[in-house]
Amino acid sequence: MERFCAGDPRALEQLFSRHAGAVRAFLTRMTGSAAQGDDLTQTTFLSVVRARGRFHAGSRFKPWLFAIAANAARDGHRRLHGEELTATGELPRDLAADEVALRDAGLEKAVREALATLPEAQRSAILMHRFHGLSFAEIAQVEGVTESAVKVRAHRGYEKLRVLLEKVWKE
Amino acid sequence: MSAGQDKLLAVLDRAAAQPPPPALPSALAAAQAELQRSPVARGWWLDALAIVGANLLVCAVAAAVFGGNSQQHDSAELRWAAAALLVAVLLAGAVAAIAPRGRSARLAVAALAALAGVSAAFASSGFDPGLPFARGIGCTATECVIALLPLSVSLFALTRFAASALRSAVVGLSAGAGGVLALHLHCPNGTLSHLLIFHLLPWAAIAGLAVLVRGRLPSASLAP
């Protein structure tokens, strides 16, 4: 990070290769769209470059990066046209049909659809906690809320997912 | 942990174990181009310094133009105690609003501003100079004019990162504190109704305006 903050392009390339895939996966799951995930990944790394003077030296880069990505997802969500959201404000479940074939496409589809039904705050907390390994304390730092609030969001989200995904492990 | 919870976590872990999508060469190229455009990282403290500078400049000009008047206050001690709190909001607010971390500091500045307002009202002498009540709008106009430069500098600085209502409110309180301070030291009207309606309420309105305006401005980056 120090070299990157000093303007070293190779340091940027290293950070990008280490984290861009995870950021892209996070944003794709947050928005329900691979195309929007790609756009917001670019937005995220542009923000990282422009605001690197705000990075607190010595702290972990990943929570800061995911804070930017979460802001990008929220910003992208606000720009979505009304007709692209369901009547209850949820993400449409069919926008990610252009996803690359995965080892377990059926599972990924079921998880993606279940995640899409969650409110944004719960979805974000679960993605960062379960899919990207951030601790609740780090997620609290990312979202600018207390750790208790993050735990409540995650707990409620997990409960909803458990009900929605029960049929997956019963099959 | 229940069996259902165990199974849920196992399902989520299987989904999370899917191979991540490949990195995007176009996103990297865009980031590299941006890095080339500005190879030196801009320290956040530069913006804080600019806001503090703008605040101090308008306070110095206001002090030179208006001078002082002690009729508003009951005692010199209360007068200067409230003034000190206003200066603290003016300076600390500028830094707390811009600093990358420090949510607690921003909340502390908001509490400090409330205390400064209460102190300014508490310090009032009740002296009525006998002018029509509506003439108080001149005080409000003065406060808004004094806040204009620091507020503009502050809002511009805030667009360098993601919008936050708390940061915007704190920067509004900081920008407005200069005008409140000028009126606190100059305005001869010591009636509580005048202070509340024409000094303190506009201060809160400036903070609210900062939140509204910042919410509508584009952000150069989405960093916290």
Side-chain angles (χ1 to χ4, degrees), chain A residues 5 7 9 12 16 24 47 50-52 54 59 71 103-104 130 158 169, chain B residues 7-8 13-14 17 21-22 24 32 38-39 98 100-101 161 220 222-224:
Chain A
C5 288
L12 170 59
F16 188 88
R24 192 180 177 205
S47 291
R50 287 174 185 153
R52 64 197 190 279
R54 293 182 62 76
S59 59
N71 285 339
R103 285 201 300 267
D104 193 341
R130 203 71 206 173
Y158 282 132
W169 65 70
Chain B
K7 286 177 179 167
L8 168 68
D13 287 346
R14 273 166 55 205
L24 304 164
Q32 294 282 23
S38 49
I98 301 293
R101 291 180 161 191
F161 45 92
L222 294 169

PDB file of all heavy atoms in Angstrom, chain A residues 5 7 9 12 16 24 47 50-52 54 59 71 103-104 130 158 169, chain B residues 7-8 13-14 17 21-22 24 32 38-39 98 100-101 161 220 222-224:
ATOM      1  N   CYS A   5       0.516   4.148  -2.665  1.00  0.00           N
ATOM      2  CA  CYS A   5       0.226   5.535  -2.299  1.00  0.00           C
ATOM      3  C   CYS A   5       1.292   6.484  -2.849  1.00  0.00           C
ATOM      4  O   CYS A   5       1.004   7.659  -3.125  1.00  0.00           O
ATOM      5  CB  CYS A   5       0.129   5.689  -0.777  1.00  0.00           C
ATOM      6  SG  CYS A   5      -1.368   4.944  -0.087  1.00  0.00           S
ATOM      7  N   GLY A   7       2.532   6.108  -5.729  1.00  0.00           N
ATOM      8  CA  GLY A   7       2.336   6.187  -7.173  1.00  0.00           C
ATOM      9  C   GLY A   7       2.938   5.067  -7.988  1.00  0.00           C
ATOM     10  O   GLY A   7       3.033   5.165  -9.212  1.00  0.00           O
ATOM     11  N   PRO A   9       2.962   2.001 -10.150  1.00  0.00           N
ATOM     12  CA  PRO A   9       1.941   1.274 -10.925  1.00  0.00           C
ATOM     13  C   PRO A   9       2.023  -0.243 -10.725  1.00  0.00           C
ATOM     14  O   PRO A   9       1.010  -0.932 -10.831  1.00  0.00           O
ATOM     15  CB  PRO A   9       2.239   1.656 -12.387  1.00  0.00           C
ATOM     16  CG  PRO A   9       3.608   2.212 -12.384  1.00  0.00           C
ATOM     17  CD  PRO A   9       3.900   2.720 -11.027  1.00  0.00           C
ATOM     18  N   LEU A  12      -0.045  -1.110  -7.757  1.00  0.00           N
ATOM     19  CA  LEU A  12      -1.463  -1.107  -8.102  1.00  0.00           C
ATOM     20  C   LEU A  12      -1.844  -2.414  -8.791  1.00  0.00           C
ATOM     21  O   LEU A  12      -2.875  -3.014  -8.497  1.00  0.00           O
ATOM     22  CB  LEU A  12      -1.786   0.082  -9.014  1.00  0.00           C
ATOM     23  CG  LEU A  12      -3.174   0.096  -9.660  1.00  0.00           C
ATOM     24  CD1 LEU A  12      -4.278   0.085  -8.606  1.00  0.00           C
ATOM     25  CD2 LEU A  12      -3.338   1.305 -10.581  1.00  0.00           C
ATOM     26  N   PHE A  16      -4.533  -5.092  -7.515  1.00  0.00           N
ATOM     27  CA  PHE A  16      -5.636  -5.418  -8.423  1.00  0.00           C
ATOM     28  C   PHE A  16      -5.729  -6.932  -8.627  1.00  0.00           C
ATOM     29  O   PHE A  16      -6.811  -7.520  -8.496  1.00  0.00           O
ATOM     30  CB  PHE A  16      -5.432  -4.707  -9.752  1.00  0.00           C
ATOM     31  CG  PHE A  16      -6.611  -4.815 -10.685  1.00  0.00           C
ATOM     32  CD1 PHE A  16      -7.640  -3.888 -10.631  1.00  0.00           C
ATOM     33  CD2 PHE A  16      -6.705  -5.855 -11.600  1.00  0.00           C
ATOM     34  CE1 PHE A  16      -8.732  -3.986 -11.485  1.00  0.00           C
ATOM     35  CE2 PHE A  16      -7.796  -5.964 -12.446  1.00  0.00           C
ATOM     36  CZ  PHE A  16      -8.812  -5.025 -12.388  1.00  0.00           C
ATOM     37  N   ARG A  24     -15.215  -8.116  -7.712  1.00  0.00           N
ATOM     38  CA  ARG A  24     -16.160  -8.339  -8.818  1.00  0.00           C
ATOM     39  C   ARG A  24     -17.255  -9.322  -8.405  1.00  0.00           C
ATOM     40  O   ARG A  24     -18.433  -9.114  -8.707  1.00  0.00           O
ATOM     41  CB  ARG A  24     -15.397  -8.858 -10.020  1.00  0.00           C
ATOM     42  CG  ARG A  24     -16.179  -8.865 -11.323  1.00  0.00           C
ATOM     43  CD  ARG A  24     -15.309  -9.400 -12.430  1.00  0.00           C
ATOM     44  NE  ARG A  24     -16.029  -9.488 -13.688  1.00  0.00           N
ATOM     45  CZ  ARG A  24     -15.716 -10.319 -14.663  1.00  0.00           C
ATOM     46  NH1 ARG A  24     -14.684 -11.133 -14.516  1.00  0.00           N
ATOM     47  NH2 ARG A  24     -16.406 -10.339 -15.784  1.00  0.00           N
ATOM     48  N   SER A  47     -11.898   4.731  -7.589  1.00  0.00           N
ATOM     49  CA  SER A  47     -12.021   5.397  -6.291  1.00  0.00           C
ATOM     50  C   SER A  47     -10.817   5.096  -5.409  1.00  0.00           C
ATOM     51  O   SER A  47     -10.349   5.979  -4.674  1.00  0.00           O
ATOM     52  CB  SER A  47     -13.300   4.943  -5.572  1.00  0.00           C
ATOM     53  OG  SER A  47     -14.442   5.427  -6.237  1.00  0.00           O
ATOM     54  N   ARG A  50      -8.042   7.381  -6.591  1.00  0.00           N
ATOM     55  CA  ARG A  50      -8.269   8.806  -6.301  1.00  0.00           C
ATOM     56  C   ARG A  50      -8.187   9.105  -4.811  1.00  0.00           C
ATOM     57  O   ARG A  50      -7.805  10.205  -4.417  1.00  0.00           O
ATOM     58  CB  ARG A  50      -9.649   9.224  -6.815  1.00  0.00           C
ATOM     59  CG  ARG A  50      -9.719   9.344  -8.313  1.00  0.00           C
ATOM     60  CD  ARG A  50     -11.127   9.624  -8.793  1.00  0.00           C
ATOM     61  NE  ARG A  50     -11.177   9.628 -10.251  1.00  0.00           N
ATOM     62  CZ  ARG A  50     -12.256   9.333 -10.963  1.00  0.00           C
ATOM     63  NH1 ARG A  50     -13.383   9.024 -10.357  1.00  0.00           N
ATOM     64  NH2 ARG A  50     -12.206   9.347 -12.273  1.00  0.00           N
ATOM     65  N   ALA A  51      -8.600   8.150  -3.984  1.00  0.00           N
ATOM     66  CA  ALA A  51      -8.698   8.427  -2.548  1.00  0.00           C
ATOM     67  C   ALA A  51      -7.614   7.729  -1.735  1.00  0.00           C
ATOM     68  O   ALA A  51      -7.750   7.610  -0.518  1.00  0.00           O
ATOM     69  CB  ALA A  51     -10.077   7.988  -2.042  1.00  0.00           C
ATOM     70  N   ARG A  52      -6.519   7.296  -2.362  1.00  0.00           N
ATOM     71  CA  ARG A  52      -5.511   6.543  -1.620  1.00  0.00           C
ATOM     72  C   ARG A  52      -4.850   7.394  -0.536  1.00  0.00           C
ATOM     73  O   ARG A  52      -4.301   6.867   0.425  1.00  0.00           O
ATOM     74  CB  ARG A  52      -4.465   5.955  -2.582  1.00  0.00           C
ATOM     75  CG  ARG A  52      -3.619   6.948  -3.345  1.00  0.00           C
ATOM     76  CD  ARG A  52      -2.942   6.252  -4.538  1.00  0.00           C
ATOM     77  NE  ARG A  52      -1.937   7.082  -5.172  1.00  0.00           N
ATOM     78  CZ  ARG A  52      -2.186   8.049  -6.055  1.00  0.00           C
ATOM     79  NH1 ARG A  52      -3.433   8.323  -6.376  1.00  0.00           N
ATOM     80  NH2 ARG A  52      -1.207   8.753  -6.582  1.00  0.00           N
ATOM     81  N   ARG A  54      -6.449   8.898   1.582  1.00  0.00           N
ATOM     82  CA  ARG A  54      -7.314   8.775   2.755  1.00  0.00           C
ATOM     83  C   ARG A  54      -7.124   7.434   3.462  1.00  0.00           C
ATOM     84  O   ARG A  54      -7.724   7.193   4.512  1.00  0.00           O
ATOM     85  CB  ARG A  54      -8.790   8.911   2.347  1.00  0.00           C
ATOM     86  CG  ARG A  54      -9.137  10.291   1.848  1.00  0.00           C
ATOM     87  CD  ARG A  54     -10.616  10.401   1.503  1.00  0.00           C
ATOM     88  NE  ARG A  54     -11.486  10.195   2.643  1.00  0.00           N
ATOM     89  CZ  ARG A  54     -11.711  11.071   3.603  1.00  0.00           C
ATOM     90  NH1 ARG A  54     -11.100  12.240   3.571  1.00  0.00           N
ATOM     91  NH2 ARG A  54     -12.535  10.799   4.592  1.00  0.00           N
ATOM     92  N   SER A  59      -3.410   0.046   8.589  1.00  0.00           N
ATOM     93  CA  SER A  59      -4.657  -0.717   8.737  1.00  0.00           C
ATOM     94  C   SER A  59      -4.794  -1.686   7.562  1.00  0.00           C
ATOM     95  O   SER A  59      -4.053  -1.596   6.581  1.00  0.00           O
ATOM     96  CB  SER A  59      -5.854   0.226   8.806  1.00  0.00           C
ATOM     97  OG  SER A  59      -5.936   1.013   7.642  1.00  0.00           O
ATOM     98  N   ASN A  71     -20.088   1.016  -1.071  1.00  0.00           N
ATOM     99  CA  ASN A  71     -20.611   2.330  -1.475  1.00  0.00           C
ATOM    100  C   ASN A  71     -20.948   2.328  -2.962  1.00  0.00           C
ATOM    101  O   ASN A  71     -21.953   2.908  -3.387  1.00  0.00           O
ATOM    102  CB  ASN A  71     -19.586   3.431  -1.188  1.00  0.00           C
ATOM    103  CG  ASN A  71     -19.501   3.783   0.290  1.00  0.00           C
ATOM    104  OD1 ASN A  71     -20.437   3.512   1.048  1.00  0.00           O
ATOM    105  ND2 ASN A  71     -18.398   4.360   0.703  1.00  0.00           N
ATOM    106  N   ARG A 103     -18.968 -24.712 -11.536  1.00  0.00           N
ATOM    107  CA  ARG A 103     -18.985 -26.127 -11.207  1.00  0.00           C
ATOM    108  C   ARG A 103     -20.364 -26.578 -10.752  1.00  0.00           C
ATOM    109  O   ARG A 103     -20.778 -27.689 -11.008  1.00  0.00           O
ATOM    110  CB  ARG A 103     -17.982 -26.405 -10.089  1.00  0.00           C
ATOM    111  CG  ARG A 103     -16.534 -26.392 -10.538  1.00  0.00           C
ATOM    112  CD  ARG A 103     -15.679 -27.155  -9.532  1.00  0.00           C
ATOM    113  NE  ARG A 103     -15.760 -26.560  -8.203  1.00  0.00           N
ATOM    114  CZ  ARG A 103     -14.895 -25.657  -7.763  1.00  0.00           C
ATOM    115  NH1 ARG A 103     -13.930 -25.219  -8.527  1.00  0.00           N
ATOM    116  NH2 ARG A 103     -14.989 -25.166  -6.542  1.00  0.00           N
ATOM    117  N   ASP A 104     -21.076 -25.735  -9.977  1.00  0.00           N
ATOM    118  CA  ASP A 104     -22.375 -26.111  -9.464  1.00  0.00           C
ATOM    119  C   ASP A 104     -23.347 -24.974  -9.755  1.00  0.00           C
ATOM    120  O   ASP A 104     -23.691 -24.203  -8.853  1.00  0.00           O
ATOM    121  CB  ASP A 104     -22.263 -26.392  -7.955  1.00  0.00           C
ATOM    122  CG  ASP A 104     -23.492 -27.095  -7.417  1.00  0.00           C
ATOM    123  OD1 ASP A 104     -24.543 -27.028  -8.096  1.00  0.00           O
ATOM    124  OD2 ASP A 104     -23.410 -27.693  -6.351  1.00  0.00           O
ATOM    125  N   ARG A 130     -19.478 -14.119   5.042  1.00  0.00           N
ATOM    126  CA  ARG A 130     -19.366 -15.526   4.678  1.00  0.00           C
ATOM    127  C   ARG A 130     -18.560 -15.749   3.410  1.00  0.00           C
ATOM    128  O   ARG A 130     -17.863 -16.758   3.284  1.00  0.00           O
ATOM    129  CB  ARG A 130     -20.774 -16.125   4.507  1.00  0.00           C
ATOM    130  CG  ARG A 130     -20.799 -17.629   4.682  1.00  0.00           C
ATOM    131  CD  ARG A 130     -20.595 -18.012   6.117  1.00  0.00           C
ATOM    132  NE  ARG A 130     -20.018 -19.330   6.274  1.00  0.00           N
ATOM    133  CZ  ARG A 130     -19.621 -19.824   7.447  1.00  0.00           C
ATOM    134  NH1 ARG A 130     -19.734 -19.102   8.547  1.00  0.00           N
ATOM    135  NH2 ARG A 130     -19.100 -21.030   7.525  1.00  0.00           N
ATOM    136  N   TYR A 158     -29.228 -14.562   7.730  1.00  0.00           N
ATOM    137  CA  TYR A 158     -29.006 -16.015   7.762  1.00  0.00           C
ATOM    138  C   TYR A 158     -30.313 -16.759   8.006  1.00  0.00           C
ATOM    139  O   TYR A 158     -30.568 -17.817   7.420  1.00  0.00           O
ATOM    140  CB  TYR A 158     -27.988 -16.378   8.852  1.00  0.00           C
ATOM    141  CG  TYR A 158     -26.547 -16.114   8.459  1.00  0.00           C
ATOM    142  CD1 TYR A 158     -25.683 -15.426   9.318  1.00  0.00           C
ATOM    143  CD2 TYR A 158     -26.035 -16.555   7.241  1.00  0.00           C
ATOM    144  CE1 TYR A 158     -24.363 -15.175   8.971  1.00  0.00           C
ATOM    145  CE2 TYR A 158     -24.716 -16.302   6.885  1.00  0.00           C
ATOM    146  CZ  TYR A 158     -23.887 -15.610   7.756  1.00  0.00           C
ATOM    147  OH  TYR A 158     -22.587 -15.357   7.403  1.00  0.00           O
ATOM    148  N   TRP A 169     -30.806 -28.376   0.423  1.00  0.00           N
ATOM    149  CA  TRP A 169     -30.145 -29.530   1.007  1.00  0.00           C
ATOM    150  C   TRP A 169     -31.079 -30.706   1.259  1.00  0.00           C
ATOM    151  O   TRP A 169     -30.633 -31.786   1.586  1.00  0.00           O
ATOM    152  CB  TRP A 169     -29.365 -29.137   2.280  1.00  0.00           C
ATOM    153  CG  TRP A 169     -30.170 -28.649   3.437  1.00  0.00           C
ATOM    154  CD1 TRP A 169     -31.009 -29.361   4.231  1.00  0.00           C
ATOM    155  CD2 TRP A 169     -30.185 -27.317   3.949  1.00  0.00           C
ATOM    156  NE1 TRP A 169     -31.535 -28.578   5.198  1.00  0.00           N
ATOM    157  CE2 TRP A 169     -31.063 -27.300   5.064  1.00  0.00           C
ATOM    158  CE3 TRP A 169     -29.541 -26.135   3.591  1.00  0.00           C
ATOM    159  CZ2 TRP A 169     -31.326 -26.158   5.797  1.00  0.00           C
ATOM    160  CZ3 TRP A 169     -29.799 -24.995   4.333  1.00  0.00           C
ATOM    161  CH2 TRP A 169     -30.687 -25.008   5.431  1.00  0.00           C
TER     162      TRP A 169
ATOM    163  N   LYS B   7     -26.258 -26.619   8.098  1.00  0.00           N
ATOM    164  CA  LYS B   7     -26.475 -26.930   6.672  1.00  0.00           C
ATOM    165  C   LYS B   7     -26.464 -25.668   5.833  1.00  0.00           C
ATOM    166  O   LYS B   7     -25.925 -25.647   4.727  1.00  0.00           O
ATOM    167  CB  LYS B   7     -27.804 -27.687   6.496  1.00  0.00           C
ATOM    168  CG  LYS B   7     -27.719 -29.136   6.966  1.00  0.00           C
ATOM    169  CD  LYS B   7     -29.054 -29.842   6.863  1.00  0.00           C
ATOM    170  CE  LYS B   7     -28.909 -31.291   7.333  1.00  0.00           C
ATOM    171  NZ  LYS B   7     -30.210 -31.944   7.547  1.00  0.00           N
ATOM    172  N   LEU B   8     -27.072 -24.588   6.378  1.00  0.00           N
ATOM    173  CA  LEU B   8     -27.065 -23.315   5.649  1.00  0.00           C
ATOM    174  C   LEU B   8     -25.630 -22.858   5.405  1.00  0.00           C
ATOM    175  O   LEU B   8     -25.268 -22.486   4.279  1.00  0.00           O
ATOM    176  CB  LEU B   8     -27.828 -22.239   6.437  1.00  0.00           C
ATOM    177  CG  LEU B   8     -27.648 -20.803   5.906  1.00  0.00           C
ATOM    178  CD1 LEU B   8     -28.304 -20.653   4.533  1.00  0.00           C
ATOM    179  CD2 LEU B   8     -28.221 -19.783   6.876  1.00  0.00           C
ATOM    180  N   ASP B  13     -20.957 -21.937   2.024  1.00  0.00           N
ATOM    181  CA  ASP B  13     -19.521 -22.149   1.813  1.00  0.00           C
ATOM    182  C   ASP B  13     -19.266 -22.813   0.470  1.00  0.00           C
ATOM    183  O   ASP B  13     -18.280 -22.500  -0.206  1.00  0.00           O
ATOM    184  CB  ASP B  13     -18.930 -22.991   2.954  1.00  0.00           C
ATOM    185  CG  ASP B  13     -18.810 -22.196   4.246  1.00  0.00           C
ATOM    186  OD1 ASP B  13     -18.930 -20.955   4.181  1.00  0.00           O
ATOM    187  OD2 ASP B  13     -18.618 -22.796   5.317  1.00  0.00           O
ATOM    188  N   ARG B  14     -20.137 -23.724   0.059  1.00  0.00           N
ATOM    189  CA  ARG B  14     -19.976 -24.342  -1.265  1.00  0.00           C
ATOM    190  C   ARG B  14     -20.146 -23.297  -2.363  1.00  0.00           C
ATOM    191  O   ARG B  14     -19.399 -23.274  -3.334  1.00  0.00           O
ATOM    192  CB  ARG B  14     -20.998 -25.469  -1.449  1.00  0.00           C
ATOM    193  CG  ARG B  14     -20.519 -26.829  -0.926  1.00  0.00           C
ATOM    194  CD  ARG B  14     -21.645 -27.844  -0.816  1.00  0.00           C
ATOM    195  NE  ARG B  14     -22.374 -28.021  -2.064  1.00  0.00           N
ATOM    196  CZ  ARG B  14     -23.648 -28.457  -2.133  1.00  0.00           C
ATOM    197  NH1 ARG B  14     -24.328 -28.717  -1.034  1.00  0.00           N
ATOM    198  NH2 ARG B  14     -24.245 -28.601  -3.299  1.00  0.00           N
ATOM    199  N   ALA B  17     -17.140 -21.088  -2.541  1.00  0.00           N
ATOM    200  CA  ALA B  17     -15.938 -21.748  -3.045  1.00  0.00           C
ATOM    201  C   ALA B  17     -15.882 -21.773  -4.564  1.00  0.00           C
ATOM    202  O   ALA B  17     -14.925 -22.265  -5.144  1.00  0.00           O
ATOM    203  CB  ALA B  17     -15.867 -23.180  -2.504  1.00  0.00           C
ATOM    204  N   PRO B  21     -14.370 -14.868 -10.637  1.00  0.00           N
ATOM    205  CA  PRO B  21     -14.250 -14.484 -12.044  1.00  0.00           C
ATOM    206  C   PRO B  21     -12.883 -13.869 -12.314  1.00  0.00           C
ATOM    207  O   PRO B  21     -12.244 -13.373 -11.384  1.00  0.00           O
ATOM    208  CB  PRO B  21     -15.369 -13.453 -12.230  1.00  0.00           C
ATOM    209  CG  PRO B  21     -15.629 -12.934 -10.861  1.00  0.00           C
ATOM    210  CD  PRO B  21     -15.333 -14.041  -9.913  1.00  0.00           C
ATOM    211  N   PRO B  22     -12.400 -13.909 -13.542  1.00  0.00           N
ATOM    212  CA  PRO B  22     -11.073 -13.367 -13.827  1.00  0.00           C
ATOM    213  C   PRO B  22     -11.053 -11.851 -13.665  1.00  0.00           C
ATOM    214  O   PRO B  22     -12.100 -11.211 -13.726  1.00  0.00           O
ATOM    215  CB  PRO B  22     -10.829 -13.749 -15.302  1.00  0.00           C
ATOM    216  CG  PRO B  22     -12.186 -13.935 -15.869  1.00  0.00           C
ATOM    217  CD  PRO B  22     -13.046 -14.443 -14.753  1.00  0.00           C
ATOM    218  N   LEU B  24     -10.381  -7.939 -14.611  1.00  0.00           N
ATOM    219  CA  LEU B  24     -10.783  -7.216 -15.812  1.00  0.00           C
ATOM    220  C   LEU B  24      -9.646  -6.332 -16.304  1.00  0.00           C
ATOM    221  O   LEU B  24      -9.303  -5.367 -15.632  1.00  0.00           O
ATOM    222  CB  LEU B  24     -11.998  -6.341 -15.498  1.00  0.00           C
ATOM    223  CG  LEU B  24     -13.208  -7.077 -14.917  1.00  0.00           C
ATOM    224  CD1 LEU B  24     -14.173  -6.088 -14.297  1.00  0.00           C
ATOM    225  CD2 LEU B  24     -13.902  -7.867 -16.023  1.00  0.00           C
ATOM    226  N   GLN B  32      -4.891   2.407 -13.858  1.00  0.00           N
ATOM    227  CA  GLN B  32      -3.498   2.801 -14.151  1.00  0.00           C
ATOM    228  C   GLN B  32      -3.458   4.191 -14.774  1.00  0.00           C
ATOM    229  O   GLN B  32      -2.586   5.015 -14.449  1.00  0.00           O
ATOM    230  CB  GLN B  32      -2.831   1.791 -15.093  1.00  0.00           C
ATOM    231  CG  GLN B  32      -2.615   0.389 -14.519  1.00  0.00           C
ATOM    232  CD  GLN B  32      -1.435   0.282 -13.571  1.00  0.00           C
ATOM    233  OE1 GLN B  32      -0.989   1.269 -12.988  1.00  0.00           O
ATOM    234  NE2 GLN B  32      -0.931  -0.926 -13.391  1.00  0.00           N
ATOM    235  N   SER B  38      -2.501  11.389 -11.617  1.00  0.00           N
ATOM    236  CA  SER B  38      -2.176  11.967 -10.304  1.00  0.00           C
ATOM    237  C   SER B  38      -1.295  10.997  -9.531  1.00  0.00           C
ATOM    238  O   SER B  38      -1.777  10.253  -8.673  1.00  0.00           O
ATOM    239  CB  SER B  38      -3.448  12.288  -9.514  1.00  0.00           C
ATOM    240  OG  SER B  38      -4.322  11.177  -9.518  1.00  0.00           O
ATOM    241  N   PRO B  39       0.015  10.997  -9.837  1.00  0.00           N
ATOM    242  CA  PRO B  39       0.914  10.029  -9.206  1.00  0.00           C
ATOM    243  C   PRO B  39       1.140  10.271  -7.715  1.00  0.00           C
ATOM    244  O   PRO B  39       1.467   9.347  -6.981  1.00  0.00           O
ATOM    245  CB  PRO B  39       2.218  10.186  -9.990  1.00  0.00           C
ATOM    246  CG  PRO B  39       2.143  11.529 -10.618  1.00  0.00           C
ATOM    247  CD  PRO B  39       0.702  11.846 -10.816  1.00  0.00           C
ATOM    248  N   ILE B  98     -13.620  15.871   7.715  1.00  0.00           N
ATOM    249  CA  ILE B  98     -12.799  15.423   6.587  1.00  0.00           C
ATOM    250  C   ILE B  98     -11.977  14.177   6.912  1.00  0.00           C
ATOM    251  O   ILE B  98     -11.662  13.388   6.024  1.00  0.00           O
ATOM    252  CB  ILE B  98     -11.848  16.573   6.136  1.00  0.00           C
ATOM    253  CG1 ILE B  98     -12.651  17.791   5.733  1.00  0.00           C
ATOM    254  CG2 ILE B  98     -10.923  16.136   5.024  1.00  0.00           C
ATOM    255  CD1 ILE B  98     -13.488  17.614   4.480  1.00  0.00           C
ATOM    256  N   PRO B 100     -10.508  10.622   7.577  1.00  0.00           N
ATOM    257  CA  PRO B 100     -11.017   9.349   7.076  1.00  0.00           C
ATOM    258  C   PRO B 100     -11.722   8.519   8.139  1.00  0.00           C
ATOM    259  O   PRO B 100     -12.697   7.840   7.856  1.00  0.00           O
ATOM    260  CB  PRO B 100      -9.767   8.619   6.590  1.00  0.00           C
ATOM    261  CG  PRO B 100      -8.734   9.653   6.428  1.00  0.00           C
ATOM    262  CD  PRO B 100      -9.058  10.755   7.382  1.00  0.00           C
ATOM    263  N   ARG B 101     -11.200   8.571   9.368  1.00  0.00           N
ATOM    264  CA  ARG B 101     -11.845   7.833  10.450  1.00  0.00           C
ATOM    265  C   ARG B 101     -12.446   8.834  11.428  1.00  0.00           C
ATOM    266  O   ARG B 101     -12.453  10.026  11.174  1.00  0.00           O
ATOM    267  CB  ARG B 101     -10.797   6.982  11.171  1.00  0.00           C
ATOM    268  CG  ARG B 101     -10.284   5.847  10.314  1.00  0.00           C
ATOM    269  CD  ARG B 101      -9.264   5.034  11.075  1.00  0.00           C
ATOM    270  NE  ARG B 101      -9.087   3.726  10.471  1.00  0.00           N
ATOM    271  CZ  ARG B 101      -8.423   2.722  11.044  1.00  0.00           C
ATOM    272  NH1 ARG B 101      -7.916   2.879  12.243  1.00  0.00           N
ATOM    273  NH2 ARG B 101      -8.277   1.571  10.430  1.00  0.00           N
ATOM    274  N   PHE B 161     -14.829  12.377  -1.586  1.00  0.00           N
ATOM    275  CA  PHE B 161     -15.099  11.022  -1.122  1.00  0.00           C
ATOM    276  C   PHE B 161     -16.609  10.840  -0.980  1.00  0.00           C
ATOM    277  O   PHE B 161     -17.370  11.755  -1.293  1.00  0.00           O
ATOM    278  CB  PHE B 161     -14.353  10.730   0.185  1.00  0.00           C
ATOM    279  CG  PHE B 161     -14.430  11.832   1.202  1.00  0.00           C
ATOM    280  CD1 PHE B 161     -15.422  11.833   2.162  1.00  0.00           C
ATOM    281  CD2 PHE B 161     -13.502  12.862   1.200  1.00  0.00           C
ATOM    282  CE1 PHE B 161     -15.502  12.854   3.101  1.00  0.00           C
ATOM    283  CE2 PHE B 161     -13.580  13.884   2.129  1.00  0.00           C
ATOM    284  CZ  PHE B 161     -14.586  13.880   3.078  1.00  0.00           C
ATOM    285  N   ALA B 220     -16.195  12.397  -6.376  1.00  0.00           N
ATOM    286  CA  ALA B 220     -15.025  12.037  -7.189  1.00  0.00           C
ATOM    287  C   ALA B 220     -14.574  10.616  -6.879  1.00  0.00           C
ATOM    288  O   ALA B 220     -14.002   9.934  -7.715  1.00  0.00           O
ATOM    289  CB  ALA B 220     -13.890  13.016  -6.937  1.00  0.00           C
ATOM    290  N   LEU B 222     -15.620   7.011  -4.118  1.00  0.00           N
ATOM    291  CA  LEU B 222     -16.606   6.438  -3.194  1.00  0.00           C
ATOM    292  C   LEU B 222     -15.933   5.913  -1.933  1.00  0.00           C
ATOM    293  O   LEU B 222     -16.482   5.091  -1.218  1.00  0.00           O
ATOM    294  CB  LEU B 222     -17.392   5.327  -3.903  1.00  0.00           C
ATOM    295  CG  LEU B 222     -18.251   5.866  -5.050  1.00  0.00           C
ATOM    296  CD1 LEU B 222     -18.797   4.724  -5.901  1.00  0.00           C
ATOM    297  CD2 LEU B 222     -19.407   6.699  -4.515  1.00  0.00           C
ATOM    298  N   ALA B 223     -14.726   6.439  -1.674  1.00  0.00           N
ATOM    299  CA  ALA B 223     -14.012   6.025  -0.466  1.00  0.00           C
ATOM    300  C   ALA B 223     -14.694   6.624   0.756  1.00  0.00           C
ATOM    301  O   ALA B 223     -15.263   7.715   0.676  1.00  0.00           O
ATOM    302  CB  ALA B 223     -12.563   6.477  -0.540  1.00  0.00           C
ATOM    303  N   PRO B 224     -14.631   5.925   1.907  1.00  0.00           N
ATOM    304  CA  PRO B 224     -15.244   6.471   3.130  1.00  0.00           C
ATOM    305  C   PRO B 224     -14.435   7.638   3.671  1.00  0.00           C
ATOM    306  O   PRO B 224     -13.258   7.778   3.380  1.00  0.00           O
ATOM    307  CB  PRO B 224     -15.212   5.268   4.088  1.00  0.00           C
ATOM    308  CG  PRO B 224     -14.124   4.390   3.588  1.00  0.00           C
ATOM    309  CD  PRO B 224     -14.056   4.593   2.109  1.00  0.00           C
TER     310      PRO B 224
END
